[in-house]
Amino acid sequence: MGNADLRQLAVIEDIPFEKVSGSVVAVDAHNWLYRYLTTTVKWTRDEVYTTSEGAAVANLIGVIQGLPKFFENDLTPVMVFDGAVTDFKDAEIEARREQKQKAEKAAEEARERGDAIEAARQEARTIRLTDTIHQTTRELFELLDVPVIEAPAEGEAQAAYMARKGDVEYVGSEDYDTLLLGAPYTLRQLTSKGDPELMKLEATLEKHDITWEQLVDIGILMGTDFNEGISGIGPKTAVKLVKEHGDLWAVLEAKDEYIEHADIIRGLFLEPDVTDDYEFDTDISPDLAAAKKYVTETWEIPADEVARGFERIEASVVQTGLDRWT
């Protein structure tokens, strides 16, 4: 999830969709899907997205609700999925598991006392990306001709790499770690109403007069998904220390501190596990009839739950006036 305190350092500006229209966006698929999934679960009765055999596929509603924002604004999404979990993320995963268990207990207690709103809020925190969710999301993307790339490790690292190579114009993610991963431009708020935010790497480096490597060192001092930060060191202090001492190692020596595996963690941002073995076609031609049948018949989602989303996708074919939409 990254450290939200990075926002205090990042150069971020609001940008109208008109300025990014016609671009290709490598989307951190797990990050994007999870946000729509939790929203769907929070505000939708579970019987709506649960099949007669008991499979929960709220993701299908989320996908149909989320994709129109790309299509209506002439953005081509390339969905980049996580691969193997990085070993150093085990602690974060365990912490999330504990949080989910607490939320499950809180949801049950809320149901027992008749507090449906609180129960729904807590249930949204218990969502897991199951094998069924992974499978059905990919199958729906295939029907809608949305490109999918399987990353060898972190999806946002792969997306950032593709942006650095120039194969896509933007990374789409709500995490601030895309800065540490070297993404030149990140579009945020793609899962929210209104126009997006644009987070700029070079402008951020220039603002603080630092290098990308030093920004990573600052992030490690503050704390990342792979390590706890140094107590008492926030964004401003981290920048000051790195600029004063030069790099992470000099700061740790000066402060008489130690971060286990700091060199490996640094490499996870500067030289992450990524691949060049990918290709995608931006001439997208969604098979809407097949997609509707898949969602409403194969997976038993009530048609009225996804009707508006499909209408928006279909309308975008006309609105964008693009030959690639057929």
Side-chain angles (χ1 to χ4, degrees):
M1 298 297 288
N3 190 330
D5 286 344
L6 280 169
R7 185 178 180 91
Q8 298 180 39
L9 304 180
V11 171
I12 301 175
E13 62 185 39
D14 294 331
I15 185 170
F17 271 112
E18 293 77 27
K19 290 287 186 68
V20 298
S21 177
S23 301
V24 180
V25 184
V27 180
D28 180 355
H30 283 201
N31 179 277
W32 180 86
L33 179 60
Y34 187 79
R35 288 175 180 269
Y36 278 108
L37 188 58
T38 53
T39 300
T40 301
V41 169
K42 184 175 181 180
W43 300 112
T44 308
R45 302 185 319 277
D46 57 3
E47 59 264 28
V48 169
Y49 55 78
T50 305
T51 69
S52 57
E53 295 184 355
V57 286
N59 56 302
L60 299 181
I61 299 175
V63 168
I64 298 304
Q65 290 175 339
L67 283 178
K69 190 154 191 176
F70 293 102
F71 300 156
E72 290 168 348
N73 293 288
D74 189 17
L75 290 174
T76 300
V78 177
M79 295 295 179
V80 186
F81 282 88
D82 288 352
V85 176
T86 304
D87 290 341
F88 289 93
K89 224 170 184 178
D90 287 347
E92 186 206 2
I93 291 172
E94 180 58 32
R96 292 183 188 178
R97 184 178 295 113
E98 291 176 358
Q99 290 173 353
K100 286 186 170 84
Q101 291 173 346
K102 291 179 181 178
E104 288 170 351
K105 181 179 179 181
E108 180 61 30
E109 292 173 348
R111 282 191 294 271
E112 289 177 355
R113 64 175 183 268
D115 189 343
I117 294 177
E118 177 62 15
R121 188 174 72 86
Q122 293 296 338
E123 285 171 355
R125 296 178 176 179
T126 70
I127 300 305
R128 296 175 176 84
L129 298 183
T130 64
D131 290 344
T132 298
I133 287 174
H134 279 289
Q135 172 198 337
T136 56
T137 298
R138 286 165 170 79
E139 289 175 351
L140 182 54
F141 281 152
E142 182 176 1
L143 293 172
L144 292 171
D145 205 25
V146 173
V148 168
I149 290 176
E150 305 292 346
E154 300 287 330
E156 61 182 343
Q158 180 67 39
Y161 176 69
M162 293 163 63
R164 291 201 308 277
K165 284 184 63 181
D167 290 338
V168 300
E169 283 83 6
Y170 302 97
V171 170
S173 178
E174 301 305 308
D175 284 359
Y176 296 96
D177 274 358
T178 56
L179 271 181
L180 304 185
L181 289 161
Y185 299 103
T186 300
L187 286 179
R188 304 186 70 259
Q189 305 299 335
L190 291 175
T191 58
S192 305
K193 293 182 179 180
D195 288 328
E197 294 180 335
L198 179 62
M199 184 164 64
K200 302 178 178 181
L201 175 60
E202 280 303 320
T204 298
L205 300 180
E206 291 176 4
K207 175 182 177 181
H208 302 288
D209 191 24
I210 55 176
T211 65
W212 175 24
E213 291 79 6
Q214 287 178 315
L215 179 62
V216 170
D217 291 348
I218 289 165
I220 294 173
L221 288 171
M222 293 166 54
T224 71
D225 284 348
F226 309 114
N227 73 286
E228 292 186 6
I230 301 299
S231 178
I233 296 183
K236 292 181 180 179
T237 301
V239 170
K240 181 173 180 277
L241 288 171
V242 168
K243 291 184 69 172
E244 178 182 347
H245 296 285
D247 62 20
L248 174 64
W249 319 117
V251 172
L252 293 177
E253 182 177 358
K255 301 289 289 183
D256 194 24
E257 294 282 0
Y258 174 72
I259 295 177
E260 188 175 11
H261 303 303
D263 54 338
I264 298 176
I265 294 168
R266 199 172 191 255
L268 291 174
F269 290 108
L270 296 174
E271 298 178 358
D273 186 7
V274 294
T275 181
D276 288 301
D277 185 18
Y278 62 84
E279 59 182 8
F280 56 87
D281 189 352
T282 58
D283 292 328
I284 296 177
S285 299
D287 188 339
L288 292 175
K292 288 178 185 178
K293 183 176 181 180
Y294 179 80
V295 172
T296 61
E297 296 184 21
T298 303
W299 291 98
E300 305 173 15
I301 299 292
D304 58 348
E305 291 291 334
V306 290
R308 178 55 182 156
F310 275 117
E311 287 172 4
R312 290 175 63 195
I313 293 174
E314 191 166 9
S316 68
V317 175
V318 177
Q319 291 172 356
T320 58
L322 297 176
D323 292 339
R324 69 171 181 265
W325 291 100
T326 61

